[in-house]
Amino acid sequence: MEKKVKLAVIGCGQRGMALLHTLSALPDVEIIAVSDLYQDRMAEASERIYNTKGNRPLQIVDYEEVLKLDDLEVVIVSSSWENHIDVAIGAMKAKKTVGMEVGGVYTVEECWQLIRAYEETKTPFMFLENCCYDKQELMALRMVRDGLFGKVVHCSGAYGHDLREEVTGGAENRHYRLRNYLNRNAENYPTHELGPIAKILDINRGNRMLTLVSVSSKSFGMEAYVEERKETINSNLLGCDFAQGDIVTTIITCAGGETILLKLDTSLPRFYDRELVLRGTKGMYLTSPNIVFLDGVHPEEYWTGIENTEKLFNNATEYEDKYLPDFWKNITPEQRDLGHGGMDYFMMRAFIDAYKKGEEMPIDVYDAASWMVITVLSEESIALGGHPVTIPDFTRGKWLIRERKDVI
Amino acid sequence: MEKKVKLAVIGCGQRGMALLHTLSALPDVEIIAVSDLYQDRMAEASERIYNTKGNRPLQIVDYEEVLKLDDLEVVIVSSSWENHIDVAIGAMKAKKTVGMEVGGVYTVEECWQLIRAYEETKTPFMFLENCCYDKQELMALRMVRDGLFGKVVHCSGAYGHDLREEVTGGAENRHYRLRNYLNRNAENYPTHELGPIAKILDINRGNRMLTLVSVSSKSFGMEAYVEERKETINSNLLGCDFAQGDIVTTIITCAGGETILLKLDTSLPRFYDRELVLRGTKGMYLTSPNIVFLDGVHPEEYWTGIENTEKLFNNATEYEDKYLPDFWKNITPEQRDLGHGGMDYFMMRAFIDAYKKGEEMPIDVYDAASWMVITVLSEESIALGGHPVTIPDFTRGKWLIRERKDVI
C-alpha cells in the first residue's frame, strides 16, 4: 500500500474547514493534526476527519508544537491573514512542505522574510491560489499561450464578492476580515484575479510588476448595511466607521509595458464575479459574459454595444473543446463538490502531486510575495492620495533568467 | 411662419457632416454658412444642405469671417480638437450661441479662457455631449434619481472603440486623431463616458472632481495593425512610433467620496462599448450586458458568475417602462437614422430648444471645462508615472451653491 502523505491543517476557520473537505477526497493524504486557537473549531475538524478518513487527528492549539511532529510532512496554512507568513516561515524552517492560503500582507518586510526563509531552507512552498485552477482562467491561459490574442497588452480582474454578511455576521464575530475592514483601507484581497493574470503575463519569469497606483472610494456600503439591520445586527457594529473603502481600484504597470487593473469590490450589493478581461493585439477575452472576440473573425459593428454582446454572449464555450484542459472536461460531480466548483480539488491535487514527485511548485514563493505585497503597497498608495509606489523585485533580478512555469 | 434659427457649421469633417445630417431634420433651423479649411468638404456640405433644405449656404474658409455674419445666431463647432476652444471663444465674444463638439483639451489654461469668455459675455454655450442623451445613460440617470441604487459610490465607463482604421485610414489622412495618436499619450476622449457619469454625480452642482491618476499601457495595437497591412497602408505610417498607449486607465476622486474609473480603449480589436457601470449601496447597473441588480431582489448566489449573468442578461429592459424617457420609447425610424441611433437628434433638439426659449443650457461651459480638462491632466499624470494631479474647480466655489441641472 502506498505510504500516505502526513499533513496538518493550521487554522480551522471557514477556509480551513473547506480545505479539510477537499483533502478528504485525497486517498493518499492522512491528516495527522489540526491546530486552531479555538477548541470548538478543532473539535469540529477532528470530527469531520474521523467521519471521512476514519482517524482522529491530534488537536494542538500552538502551531509551533505542530511543526515539531517528526512524521509531519506537509502543512496547510489556513489561519488568519495576519499570521499566514509567520506560520509558513516556521514550517519552512522545520522542513515541512508548505501550502499557504491566500490573502494580502501588512508589510513589505514580511515578504522578504518569506523569501529568505525559502532561499535558506529550500523547503518546498506552494501558494494555494485556487483561482489559477478555475475553468475560465485555465482557458484564458491556454488561449494566450496559443497566440489567439496576439501580444497581451492589458488585463483586468476583480474580487467582486458581496461580503457584507460575512464581515459583519454573527453575534460573536471571529472573522479576521472584520478587524481589517474596520481599520484598514487597501486592496485587501488581490490574488484571486492577479494570480491568473500574473501567470499569463509571465511575472517573475521574463516580466515583472514595476509600479502601482491605488485609489479608494469612501466606505458607504458597510455602514448602510449595518444601519438597515440595526435591530438584529451585532450591536458592537452600530455606528462603527469602516476604514475600508467600498471600491478600491489599482493599476499596475509591468516591465513589458502591460497594465493590470484590479478592483476590490466587497461591500456593495453585487453578484460574485472576478471579471477577468484579457486584451491583446489580435483579440480579447471577457469571462463575464464569457466572450471571445477575435480580430477579423467576430463582428465589430459600430454602435451596437448591447446587440454585439447578445450575438457573442457566452460564445467562449465554442473554444472549450480546443482549450479547456481535459481534467475540466471530465470533471465529476464529486470533484465539483470539493470546493468552489472544482478548482479547490485540482489545486490541492497539483500541490500534493508536486510534493510527492519532488517537482517545482506551480505557484512558488516569489509568486506569493509579489502577489500578496500588492495589499500593503495599495494601502500606502491610497494613504498617499493615489501616489505611485514601486513594487519590489523579490527575485532580485532572476526574473530575467527564470523560465516560464505555468500551473498546468 | 415661425422664424428659423440661422446657424453655421464650423468644421465639415466626418463629425461636421454627421451633424449636418442631424440638422437637416430640424425644420426650424436654417444653415446659412459652412466653414472648413478644405474646399472639397465645404462643397460637399453645401450640396448636402441644398439637397435636404433647399438653400445653398455660404462657404467661408476663415471661421472668424463666419462669426461676423450679422444674421447668424448659432454656431456649431465641429472642427479639429485643437481649435474647438478658440472657435467657441470667438463665437461667444461675437455673441453667437455656441454648440461645441466634444474632445479633450491640451492645457488647463484654455479651459479657464473658455470659462472667462462665457462669464464675460454670458453668451449661451452648450457642450454637445451626445452620449448624455443615449438610451442607457438616460435610464441610468432616472434610476439613480429615483433612488433605485441608494447612494452611488462608484461609476465606471469606457470609450471602447476600435479606431485603428479611422486613425490610420486613407492615403492622405486628414484626421486630427492621427497627429494626436502619434505624439501624445493621454485619456484623449473622456467625455462620452464621463459626461453622463458627471451628471449622475452632480459634478459642479453639489459635488466636484478633486484628483485623478492616469496610467497607460504601452502602444502595441497601432504598430501591429500597420505592420500587418504594410503592403496597402499609407506608407508614411510604416515604422512609426505611436505615443498613444493602447489602454489608458484613469481614476478620479470626487469631493463626495465617490470614484470614477475611465478607460480609453481605441487601438486594440474590440466591439464598440461604453461599458457604463453604476454602483450604489442598494444596487448596480451594468449597461453591458444591460443588467439591473438590486439588493434583496436579484439572486446573489455564490460561485455563479456566468450563470448569474445568464439569468440577469439584458434584464434592464424590464425597467424601461418605468425609467426610459417617452421620447426614447416613441423614437421613430427617421430619428434613429439622424446619428448614433437617435441620441444626436435628441441632443440637437434639446440645444436648439434651449436656445429658442432662452433657457439654461443642459450641458454648460463648466461641464465642458471640467470634462475636457481630464485629457491634459491624464497626460500629465501618465508622464509623471501615474502621479496624482488635482482637478481645477472651474466654478470657483460655486459648486457648493449651484443646483442640479439634469439633461432632461
Side-chain angles (χ1 to χ4, degrees):
Chain A
M1 204 178 86
E2 190 192 16
K3 200 171 138 287
K4 291 187 181 187
V5 175
K6 293 192 178 353
L7 182 145
V9 173
I10 296 176
C12 298
Q14 186 178 306
R15 186 60 185 140
M17 289 299 190
L19 288 174
L20 280 177
H21 180 57
T22 312
L23 289 161
S24 73
L26 272 53
D28 51 347
V29 168
E30 181 185 354
I31 303 167
I32 64 166
V34 294
S35 175
D36 201 283
L37 297 178
Y38 296 100
Q39 292 287 352
D40 59 315
R41 287 180 174 171
M42 285 197 292
E44 191 188 336
S46 171
E47 196 61 25
R48 287 210 203 172
I49 292 162
Y50 181 71
N51 289 336
T52 54
K53 296 250 186 199
N55 71 302
R56 293 217 176 261
L58 296 169
Q59 299 180 35
I60 304 173
V61 173
D62 182 353
Y63 77 85
E64 299 198 43
E65 295 302 314
V66 176
L67 299 177
K68 289 177 185 162
L69 296 172
D70 272 345
D71 54 348
L72 178 66
E73 297 166 81
V74 173
V75 167
I76 300 289
V77 184
S78 49
S79 55
S80 67
W81 288 344
E82 291 88 348
N83 75 348
H84 279 177
I85 293 211
D86 290 343
V87 180
I89 289 172
M92 281 194 278
K93 290 187 174 169
K95 295 284 182 180
K96 311 300 184 190
T97 288
V98 180
M100 189 177 81
E101 253 302 325
V102 303
V105 293
Y106 297 81
T107 60
V108 176
E109 169 58 17
E110 73 204 275
C111 295
W112 283 117
Q113 288 175 10
L114 186 77
I115 297 289
R116 244 177 261 135
Y118 173 75
E119 291 183 347
E120 284 167 17
T121 66
K122 298 286 187 215
T123 309
F125 171 101
M126 173 147 157
F127 191 51
L128 300 177
E129 183 35 88
N130 53 359
C131 296
C132 288
Y133 289 87
D134 208 0
K135 189 175 162 180
Q136 290 178 300
E137 283 80 353
L138 287 173
M139 280 266 293
L141 177 67
R142 294 184 69 170
M143 289 189 287
V144 168
R145 293 294 179 249
D146 198 36
L148 207 59
F149 308 124
K151 158 75 185 166
V152 177
V153 175
H154 177 78
C155 302
S156 66
Y159 184 56
H161 189 179
D162 178 357
L163 293 175
R164 293 174 300 166
E165 188 178 348
E166 180 168 325
V167 171
T168 59
E172 185 210 3
N173 189 317
R174 304 193 297 203
H175 203 299
Y176 48 83
R177 275 201 168 95
L178 178 58
R179 56 184 179 252
N180 280 275
Y181 276 69
L182 283 170
N183 296 297
R184 302 174 76 205
N185 192 9
E187 171 38 280
N188 65 35
Y189 209 60
T191 71
H192 277 352
E193 67 273 30
L194 177 57
I197 291 169
K199 283 294 190 180
I200 282 168
L201 293 179
D202 292 314
I203 298 302
N204 299 323
R205 297 170 178 278
N207 199 358
R208 85 173 190 91
M209 296 186 278
L210 279 179
T211 68
L212 68 76
V213 296
S214 196
V215 175
S216 171
S217 75
K218 265 195 190 169
S219 169
F220 292 104
M222 250 357 147
E223 290 160 38
Y225 184 87
V226 168
E227 176 63 22
E228 269 177 29
R229 287 154 187 80
K230 61 186 168 194
E231 308 301 335
T232 53
I233 211 158
N234 179 346
S235 61
N236 292 333
L237 295 174
L238 296 177
C240 272
D241 275 337
F242 283 80
Q244 179 63 54
D246 292 327
I247 305 280
V248 171
T249 310
T250 302
I251 318 167
I252 295 168
T253 61
C254 301
E258 307 88 349
T259 44
I260 303 171
L261 178 68
L262 306 179
K263 183 178 61 154
L264 179 81
D265 179 355
T266 58
S267 48
L268 295 171
R270 62 160 305 131
F271 50 84
Y272 184 93
D273 196 348
R274 292 197 296 275
E275 299 177 11
L276 179 65
V277 175
L278 305 184
R279 303 297 308 283
T281 53
K282 293 184 178 171
M284 68 175 172
Y285 181 41
L286 318 175
T287 57
S288 176
N290 208 29
I291 287 176
V292 168
F293 179 92
L294 300 180
D295 203 14
V297 174
H298 295 109
E300 191 275 301
E301 284 143 59
Y302 195 49
W303 300 116
T304 54
I306 183 66
E307 287 84 359
N308 241 326
T309 316
E310 279 185 23
K311 274 183 225 160
L312 296 171
F313 184 77
N314 216 0
N315 80 328
T317 53
E318 296 162 22
Y319 293 79
E320 290 183 4
D321 188 45
K322 183 163 181 192
Y323 293 108
L324 193 63
D326 285 340
F327 61 81
W328 264 108
K329 285 182 190 158
N330 304 323
I331 189 170
T332 65
E334 292 71 31
Q335 289 170 343
R336 281 194 194 283
D337 186 48
L338 291 171
H340 298 129
M343 66 187 184
D344 286 3
Y345 172 75
F346 295 133
M347 169 195 73
M348 196 59 87
R349 189 69 263 167
F351 171 51
I352 298 296
D353 285 347
Y355 167 70
K356 287 168 67 175
K357 294 178 188 161
E359 286 175 355
E360 188 178 5
M361 288 292 167
I363 311 176
D364 68 11
V365 73
Y366 302 100
D367 295 326
S370 63
W371 303 354
M372 294 175 90
V373 80
I374 299 306
T375 294
V376 62
L377 300 179
S378 86
E379 191 172 22
E380 292 175 4
S381 180
I382 291 167
L384 294 168
H387 197 286
V389 175
T390 57
I391 302 173
D393 169 16
F394 292 109
T395 73
R396 291 175 292 120
K398 309 295 192 299
W399 65 276
L400 294 164
I401 300 159
R402 300 177 83 223
E403 292 192 359
R404 176 176 291 164
K405 171 76 184 169
D406 286 337
V407 297
I408 50 167
Chain B
M1 204 179 87
E2 190 192 15
K3 199 173 137 290
K4 291 188 178 183
V5 175
K6 292 194 178 350
L7 181 145
V9 173
I10 296 177
C12 300
Q14 185 177 307
R15 186 62 185 141
M17 289 298 191
L19 288 175
L20 280 177
H21 180 57
T22 312
L23 289 161
S24 72
L26 272 51
D28 51 346
V29 167
E30 180 184 353
I31 303 167
I32 65 167
V34 294
S35 175
D36 201 283
L37 297 177
Y38 297 100
Q39 294 285 353
D40 59 313
R41 286 180 175 172
M42 285 195 292
E44 191 189 337
S46 171
E47 196 61 23
R48 287 211 201 170
I49 291 162
Y50 181 72
N51 290 335
T52 54
K53 298 249 187 199
N55 71 301
R56 291 217 178 263
L58 297 167
Q59 298 180 35
I60 304 172
V61 173
D62 182 353
Y63 77 85
E64 301 198 40
E65 295 302 314
V66 177
L67 299 177
K68 289 176 185 164
L69 297 172
D70 273 345
D71 54 347
L72 178 65
E73 298 167 80
V74 172
V75 166
I76 301 289
V77 184
S78 49
S79 54
S80 67
W81 288 344
E82 293 87 348
N83 74 348
H84 279 177
I85 293 213
D86 290 343
V87 180
I89 289 172
M92 282 195 277
K93 289 185 175 167
K95 295 281 181 186
K96 312 298 185 190
T97 288
V98 181
M100 188 177 82
E101 253 302 324
V102 303
V105 294
Y106 298 81
T107 60
V108 176
E109 170 58 17
E110 71 202 280
C111 295
W112 283 116
Q113 288 175 9
L114 186 77
I115 297 289
R116 248 177 258 135
Y118 173 75
E119 292 184 346
E120 285 165 18
T121 66
K122 298 284 186 219
T123 309
F125 172 100
M126 173 146 159
F127 191 50
L128 300 177
E129 182 37 83
N130 53 0
C131 296
C132 288
Y133 290 86
D134 209 357
K135 190 175 163 179
Q136 291 178 299
E137 283 80 354
L138 287 173
M139 279 268 292
L141 177 67
R142 294 183 68 169
M143 289 190 286
V144 168
R145 293 294 180 249
D146 198 36
L148 207 60
F149 308 124
K151 158 75 185 164
V152 177
V153 176
H154 177 78
C155 302
S156 67
Y159 184 56
H161 189 180
D162 178 356
L163 292 174
R164 293 174 300 166
E165 187 177 349
E166 181 167 324
V167 171
T168 60
E172 185 211 4
N173 188 317
R174 304 194 296 203
H175 204 299
Y176 48 82
R177 274 203 168 96
L178 178 58
R179 55 183 180 253
N180 280 274
Y181 276 71
L182 283 170
N183 296 297
R184 301 174 76 206
N185 192 9
E187 170 38 279
N188 65 34
Y189 209 59
T191 71
H192 277 353
E193 68 272 29
L194 177 57
I197 291 171
K199 284 294 192 181
I200 284 168
L201 293 179
D202 292 313
I203 298 300
N204 299 323
R205 297 171 178 277
N207 199 358
R208 85 173 191 89
M209 295 185 278
L210 280 179
T211 69
L212 68 74
V213 296
S214 196
V215 175
S216 172
S217 76
K218 266 197 191 166
S219 169
F220 293 104
M222 269 322 170
E223 291 160 37
Y225 183 87
V226 168
E227 175 64 20
E228 268 176 30
R229 286 153 188 80
K230 62 188 168 194
E231 308 302 335
T232 53
I233 210 156
N234 179 346
S235 62
N236 292 332
L237 295 175
L238 296 177
C240 274
D241 275 337
F242 283 79
Q244 180 63 54
D246 293 325
I247 305 280
V248 171
T249 310
T250 302
I251 319 168
I252 296 168
T253 61
C254 301
E258 306 88 348
T259 45
I260 303 170
L261 178 69
L262 306 179
K263 183 179 59 155
L264 179 81
D265 178 355
T266 59
S267 47
L268 295 172
R270 60 161 305 130
F271 51 85
Y272 184 93
D273 197 347
R274 293 198 296 276
E275 300 177 6
L276 178 65
V277 176
L278 305 184
R279 303 298 307 285
T281 52
K282 292 183 179 171
M284 68 174 172
Y285 181 41
L286 318 175
T287 57
S288 179
N290 207 31
I291 288 176
V292 168
F293 179 93
L294 301 180
D295 202 15
V297 174
H298 294 109
E300 189 276 300
E301 284 143 58
Y302 196 51
W303 300 117
T304 53
I306 183 69
E307 287 85 358
N308 240 326
T309 316
E310 280 187 21
K311 273 184 225 162
L312 296 171
F313 184 77
N314 217 2
N315 81 327
T317 53
E318 296 162 22
Y319 293 79
E320 291 183 4
D321 187 47
K322 184 163 182 191
Y323 293 107
L324 194 64
D326 285 339
F327 61 80
W328 264 108
K329 284 181 190 158
N330 304 323
I331 189 169
T332 65
E334 292 71 29
Q335 289 170 344
R336 280 193 195 282
D337 186 48
L338 291 171
H340 296 129
M343 66 187 183
D344 286 4
Y345 172 75
F346 296 133
M347 170 196 71
M348 196 59 85
R349 194 64 264 171
F351 170 51
I352 299 296
D353 286 346
Y355 168 71
K356 288 168 68 175
K357 295 178 187 161
E359 287 176 353
E360 187 177 6
M361 288 293 168
I363 311 177
D364 69 10
V365 74
Y366 302 101
D367 295 326
S370 63
W371 304 354
M372 294 174 90
V373 81
I374 298 307
T375 293
V376 63
L377 299 180
S378 86
E379 192 173 20
E380 293 176 3
S381 180
I382 290 168
L384 294 168
H387 198 284
V389 174
T390 57
I391 302 174
D393 170 16
F394 293 109
T395 73
R396 293 175 291 121
K398 307 294 192 299
W399 65 275
L400 294 164
I401 300 158
R402 301 177 82 223
E403 291 191 0
R404 176 176 290 162
K405 171 76 183 168
D406 287 337
V407 297
I408 50 166

